[in-house]
Amino acid sequence: MAFLPFFGRNFSGSFWELEKMRSHMDHVYNALADGFNQIRRNYTGVFPLVNISEDEDNLFLTAELPGLTADRLEISIKGETLTLKGAKTQDNAGDETLNYHRRERQAGSFSRSLTLPVKVKSEDVGAVFKNGILTVTLPKATEARAHQITVQAQ
Amino acid sequence: MTQTNQPEINVQEKRPLDTGTAESTSSEPRFSPQVDIWENDRGLTVVADMPGVNADGLSIDLNDNVLTIHGRIEAQNPGKKVLTQEFEVGDYYRQFKLSEDIDKEAIAATIKDGVLAVSLPKMAPAQPRKITVVQA
């Protein structure tokens, strides 16, 4: 700031105070912004993220769960609420001889409940786990399926 | 089963592949897989989460000390109406620069449950050789 000497010592002193205040505000602002991002992230999803699609007779739910196995997954359905539960273990937990360069993959437990858009036949729900992707097929209840109504010509 | 003492997993959004200034010619999304890389005295191990990829869809190559991992996902069956989409589906691609002391001939890879593991053994250090002098 080339103009600073122009104001003399007292002014440059108060500028210093202002500058300090500004940097403090930046800190506060950044901390708040992080907080907002956190809220946004929690708002958009709970692990695992799911995609839901449908055809005429079924609902299909898919979730990406790399590293999980079928026996460590628990799926339950009660009314229109589907619950996915499971746990992913950390590789090499407690192995001191390893030196980690990157650790981006997460381990831990998860539990997610979601409300299905239509009633399903809970006794006919099937789930397949393949290549790290869980696919749950939920046959729609008879009352939730579209019925073709024939229009009678008179 | 689910242990209560384990931390809960947070959602990690898939990271779109950063292609720098070069644009991809295809409009299909591509992702940079999440990896763990660890080293011990025998070598390096790269573990990547690539859900939806099987052994046939995977190509790994090493060129000029750059390890390229490319996983192609199986084609999605169409004819379904999407109701909720929380994650995108696409191929995986990531490159790593390796140090010189990797035994390139001995690199091995396996994929199981959507997790790729590449083992990169270190070159065996040159064995000290003792030369016996024969009395002529």
Side-chain angles (χ1 to χ4, degrees):
Chain A
M1 289 211 242
F3 58 87
L4 264 185
F6 183 74
F7 292 106
R9 263 184 83 207
N10 286 343
F11 271 97
S12 73
S14 29
F15 261 95
W16 170 242
E17 282 298 316
L18 273 174
E19 204 51 43
K20 256 188 10 191
M21 215 146 97
R22 201 182 87 158
S23 101
H24 188 72
M25 285 302 281
D26 280 351
H27 270 291
V28 173
Y29 183 79
N30 287 340
L32 276 176
D34 270 355
F36 283 131
N37 285 341
Q38 195 59 48
I39 292 165
R40 192 193 68 84
R41 235 175 277 139
N42 288 345
Y43 178 71
T44 48
V46 179
F47 187 90
L49 295 181
V50 298
N51 283 352
I52 303 174
S53 59
E54 65 167 355
D55 64 10
E56 273 179 23
D57 304 322
N58 300 289
L59 278 181
F60 303 96
L61 178 140
T62 53
E64 295 187 331
L65 297 161
L68 230 83
T69 45
D71 58 312
R72 273 193 275 148
L73 252 169
E74 202 178 274
I75 305 163
S76 59
I77 185 155
K78 190 182 174 197
E80 277 145 77
T81 306
L82 178 86
T83 305
L84 303 172
K85 268 189 194 174
K88 262 169 96 170
T89 45
Q90 185 98 54
D91 298 326
N92 313 311
D95 190 339
E96 297 290 317
T97 62
L98 297 174
N99 179 14
Y100 266 89
H101 296 302
R102 280 165 198 250
R103 191 168 232 166
E104 299 169 359
R105 300 166 62 240
Q106 290 200 74
S109 63
F110 62 88
S111 169
R112 177 168 184 187
S113 294
L114 38 109
T115 310
L116 299 168
V118 295
K119 271 205 169 79
V120 296
K121 283 189 208 160
S122 51
E123 63 279 7
D124 295 332
V125 172
V128 178
F129 189 69
K130 192 185 166 208
N131 296 334
I133 295 186
L134 170 74
T135 306
V136 187
T137 307
L138 308 124
K140 291 181 188 172
T142 330
E143 63 261 39
R145 293 183 197 203
H147 280 278
Q148 197 76 41
I149 295 151
T150 331
V151 181
Q152 305 281 331
Q154 276 189 335
Chain B
M1 213 29 252
T2 316
Q3 282 143 41
T4 44
N5 58 352
Q6 273 185 304
E8 288 212 359
I9 303 180
N10 292 315
V11 168
Q12 279 177 308
E13 303 247 348
K14 280 178 153 184
R15 276 184 310 196
L17 182 71
D18 181 12
T19 50
T21 50
E23 275 184 58
S24 171
T25 49
S26 134
S27 63
E28 295 286 309
R30 280 167 117 196
F31 300 98
S32 172
Q34 253 112 26
V35 298
D36 280 355
I37 301 177
W38 65 78
E39 187 183 351
N40 61 11
D41 45 356
R42 290 184 304 277
L44 231 85
T45 305
V46 177
V47 177
D49 278 348
M50 300 168 106
V53 176
N54 59 22
D56 298 330
L58 198 67
S59 71
I60 301 172
D61 64 58
L62 187 69
N63 195 357
D64 273 345
N65 286 323
V66 175
L67 177 79
T68 306
I69 298 168
H70 186 186
R72 287 167 203 83
I73 48 147
E74 289 176 32
Q76 304 294 297
N77 34 343
K80 292 177 191 169
K81 193 179 140 209
V82 175
L83 300 174
T84 306
Q85 185 165 28
E86 294 184 339
F87 63 89
E88 279 191 291
V89 177
D91 290 356
Y92 301 91
Y93 188 91
R94 200 160 171 180
Q95 291 185 313
F96 296 99
K97 193 143 180 74
L98 302 180
S99 68
E100 295 287 336
D101 59 352
I102 296 293
D103 184 357
K104 288 160 188 94
E105 300 303 312
I107 296 174
T110 55
I111 188 155
K112 188 175 174 279
D113 296 323
V115 180
L116 166 75
V118 188
S119 84
L120 305 146
K122 284 183 191 170
M123 210 66 111
Q127 295 299 314
R129 215 172 113 215
K130 201 171 170 125
I131 295 148
T132 358
V133 180
V134 186
Q135 182 74 51

